[in-house]
Amino acid sequence: MSKITLPPTSTMMSKSFVYGVATASFQIEGGIEDRLPCIWDTFCQTAGKIADGSNGEVACDHYNKWFEDIELIESIGVDAYRLSISWPRVIDKEGQLNQAGVDFYIQILDELNRRNIKPFVTLYHWDLPQHIEDTGGWLNRKTAYLYADYADKISKAFGDRVYSYATFNEPFCSAFLGYEIGVHAPGKTGRQNGRQAAHHILLAHGLGMQVLQKNSPDSKNGIVLNFTPCYPKSNSDADLQATDYADQYINQWYIKPIFDKAYPKIFDLLPENEKPVIEAGDFDIIAQPLDYIGINYYTRLTYSAPQVEGEFYHEHEHLYPRTDIGWEIYPQALTDLLTSLAKRYPLPPIYITENGAAIADTIENGEVVDTDRINYYQSHLNAVDSAIEQGVNVQGYFAWSLMDNFEWAEGYLKRFGITYVDYQSQERTLKHSGIAYQQLIKSRS
Ligand code: FCB
């Protein structure tokens, strides 16, 4: 069986380096009868939005199988578990705590702590309550204040049970995929919508950080951002310029305000009617000091000069080799990303909060031989190791995902788990990649 190895002298072989697995509420929980509807429930009901026409009604039935899932997490030997809280499960329509929903998570947090597994809690992994979307969702500035109130109530209810909070998972995906190109919930389109949603999410992040630092000063509080590093098709000036614009628009847009209190300079090139409305003082709220930054990385993209009037860049199809979801496998970009971000911004400690691969797994005689996923993890762990060697302060790494789950617009067709889920029987089987990850973790000194 293939192994994952790192040099014995690597920082990543020390027990202080945090290894974890990650999931998100909507992708695994099910249990929808006990919570309010969210924008993903609605999106799933919209014809043509989800590749296999599926939804989150049952998912991995984690709502009922949470205890067994924690036993699985412990058996892998990880130091930490990154989960997200379903806002519509814990806050009712009047904005008050729904105690049954809160208790669902408290029992999980208590069980994790009892087993010395650090809970990394993400407060928003895309499942906005539908009734808030009905009043404008992230296009409405008031949503940022509703979010701050949710963060306040839930962090008080959780007390000291949480090791680390993330205000948001991947604002790029919520804003750009959800409100600008419409391939994710709530399926809105238009540049102004995308930019406005992003601004309100960043504002909510800043307000949320203020709340967390007050209510939970001992936890590590931060945000999780995703990056798709941009590479030029050629070294022509036009391709280099386009690539820089793409990077500003899809990556730097979400991090620069947090550290530099400003959007990247491409902001000035947008027509007035496509710019977000920003109020005085917003950047001071957004740029709260962070205890850590979470970075999610899966792939890179390549760019050349725009082919359409009014565009800033032309984005190319993914190069090969690709994973089953069509994303190029290019570990070098993870090293480049980490070293370049560390040069550009005064970063706090970094956790790689997601990294992993979709592979078309099959289960045979109770085993899943997912060698391609093992190779993906090996090359990307090496890439992190190499960034650390170059002086970047990375303190942890989370595999996406603990188990196969609802992969958003792809439904259940794409498997990202290090555990195989049989959606008929809900049986879980640790894949060879899970065993390799387990062995790596156990071999630390
Ligand atoms: C990330 C999401 C996560 C998962 C992976 C594959 O963008 O944060 O929920 O779907 O992609």
Side-chain angles (χ1 to χ4, degrees):
M1 186 182 299
S2 320
K3 287 193 168 161
I4 302 175
T5 55
L6 286 162
T9 53
S10 165
T11 304
M12 295 171 79
M13 289 306 285
S14 103
K15 284 216 169 123
S16 56
F17 189 84
V18 172
Y19 282 99
V21 284
T23 63
S25 46
F26 189 85
Q27 295 180 276
I28 64 165
E29 284 180 3
I32 64 163
E33 61 289 346
D34 287 348
R35 63 160 171 79
L36 296 177
C38 74
I39 54 175
W40 274 92
D41 296 313
T42 313
F43 198 65
C44 289
Q45 286 160 12
T46 316
K49 294 296 185 185
I50 310 297
D52 58 357
S54 64
N55 57 49
E57 272 174 36
V58 179
C60 306
D61 197 25
H62 176 73
Y63 189 60
N64 295 304
K65 294 176 88 73
W66 64 271
F67 187 82
E68 186 188 313
D69 288 336
I70 294 179
E71 288 183 323
L72 170 68
I73 293 165
E74 186 179 34
S75 79
I76 301 170
V78 289
D79 310 297
Y81 173 46
R82 176 170 177 246
L83 68 153
S84 81
I85 307 301
S86 160
W87 181 354
R89 193 182 289 293
V90 296
I91 301 284
D92 69 18
K93 263 201 168 144
E94 283 67 50
Q96 300 307 313
L97 282 180
N98 168 22
Q99 197 54 47
V102 175
D103 289 345
F104 170 68
Y105 293 109
I106 285 187
Q107 67 190 353
I108 290 176
L109 297 174
D110 284 345
E111 196 55 38
L112 290 170
N113 284 317
R114 205 172 68 72
R115 296 170 192 249
N116 286 322
I117 301 165
K118 297 175 169 64
F120 276 63
V121 168
T122 299
L123 291 180
Y124 186 87
H125 201 126
W126 310 355
D127 36 6
L128 185 72
Q130 180 61 42
H131 69 97
I132 298 181
E133 178 58 31
D134 295 341
T135 57
W138 289 112
L139 300 179
N140 185 345
R141 190 177 168 91
K142 286 203 181 110
T143 299
Y145 292 86
L146 293 177
Y147 170 86
D149 190 54
Y150 151 56
D152 180 49
K153 292 200 164 85
I154 198 72
S155 56
K156 280 181 180 147
F158 286 166
D160 62 2
R161 292 177 176 88
V162 175
Y163 181 83
S164 163
Y165 279 107
T167 53
F168 281 86
N169 178 69
E170 303 188 348
F172 162 85
C173 292
S174 293
F176 184 77
L177 303 181
Y179 287 87
E180 189 160 333
I181 63 166
V183 297
H184 276 190
K188 297 235 155 80
T189 53
R191 182 176 279 157
Q192 211 280 337
N193 282 340
R195 301 296 113 180
Q196 194 64 67
H199 187 68
H200 289 152
I201 290 170
L202 287 166
L203 180 67
H205 155 72
L207 295 168
M209 280 301 297
Q210 291 174 336
V211 163
L212 293 172
Q213 299 298 36
K214 185 160 136 268
N215 293 354
S216 187
D218 295 333
S219 53
K220 291 181 198 291
N221 304 322
I223 187 170
V224 170
L225 302 177
N226 63 303
F227 292 88
T228 304
C230 304
Y231 288 76
K233 248 318 190 223
S234 82
N235 279 332
S236 73
D237 287 349
D239 285 3
L240 291 173
Q241 177 61 263
T243 304
D244 183 45
Y245 283 152
D247 182 51
Q248 291 184 42
Y249 199 72
I250 69 171
N251 294 318
Q252 307 305 325
W253 195 278
Y254 305 90
I255 185 170
K256 194 173 166 64
I258 295 176
F259 293 102
D260 294 349
K261 298 191 179 184
Y263 284 114
K265 49 185 190 317
I266 195 171
F267 180 95
D268 296 327
L269 303 180
L270 299 182
E272 282 313 308
N273 63 358
E274 294 185 346
K275 286 181 180 164
V277 177
I278 301 171
E279 291 192 9
D282 282 359
F283 286 115
D284 290 327
I285 297 173
I286 293 170
Q288 297 300 309
L290 306 178
D291 298 332
Y292 79 96
I293 183 163
I295 292 179
N296 293 354
Y297 172 82
Y298 290 93
T299 190
R300 68 149 175 182
L301 279 164
T302 52
Y303 294 88
S304 55
Q307 300 176 348
V308 179
E309 179 69 24
E311 296 290 334
F312 294 102
Y313 50 79
H314 175 74
E315 188 175 285
H316 290 265
E317 296 275 297
H318 278 278
L319 303 178
Y320 289 88
R322 295 176 178 178
T323 61
D324 190 41
I325 200 166
W327 300 346
E328 187 193 357
I329 303 170
Y330 192 74
Q332 179 63 38
L334 178 53
T335 311
D336 296 350
L337 169 70
L338 293 169
T339 53
S340 71
L341 288 178
K343 254 188 228 131
R344 212 183 266 204
Y345 301 107
L347 296 184
I350 299 169
Y351 287 83
I352 305 302
T353 31
E354 282 180 33
N355 178 234
I359 306 290
D361 300 311
T362 50
I363 184 158
E364 274 158 51
N365 304 321
E367 283 190 60
V368 180
V369 185
D370 55 339
T371 315
D372 290 344
R373 185 176 287 102
I374 296 181
N375 293 338
Y376 183 96
Y377 278 119
Q378 176 71 71
S379 58
H380 288 76
L381 285 162
N382 288 347
V384 177
D385 185 51
S386 136
I388 295 174
E389 283 290 306
Q390 293 174 56
V392 183
N393 183 7
V394 183
Q395 301 199 343
Y397 175 95
F398 291 74
W400 183 271
S401 176
L402 165 66
M403 57 186 160
D404 298 334
N405 57 48
F406 176 80
E407 179 45 37
W408 309 112
E410 303 287 343
Y412 297 96
L413 299 176
K414 302 299 172 196
R415 293 179 177 271
F416 269 95
I418 59 171
T419 304
Y420 187 89
V421 176
D422 176 329
Y423 293 111
Q424 297 305 314
S425 65
Q426 289 296 346
E427 198 182 331
R428 280 83 159 122
T429 305
L430 198 59
K431 301 178 189 177
H432 278 208
S433 60
I435 298 169
Y437 195 50
Q438 177 183 52
Q439 285 172 348
L440 169 76
I441 294 166
K442 286 192 176 145
S443 68
R444 287 175 304 168
S445 47

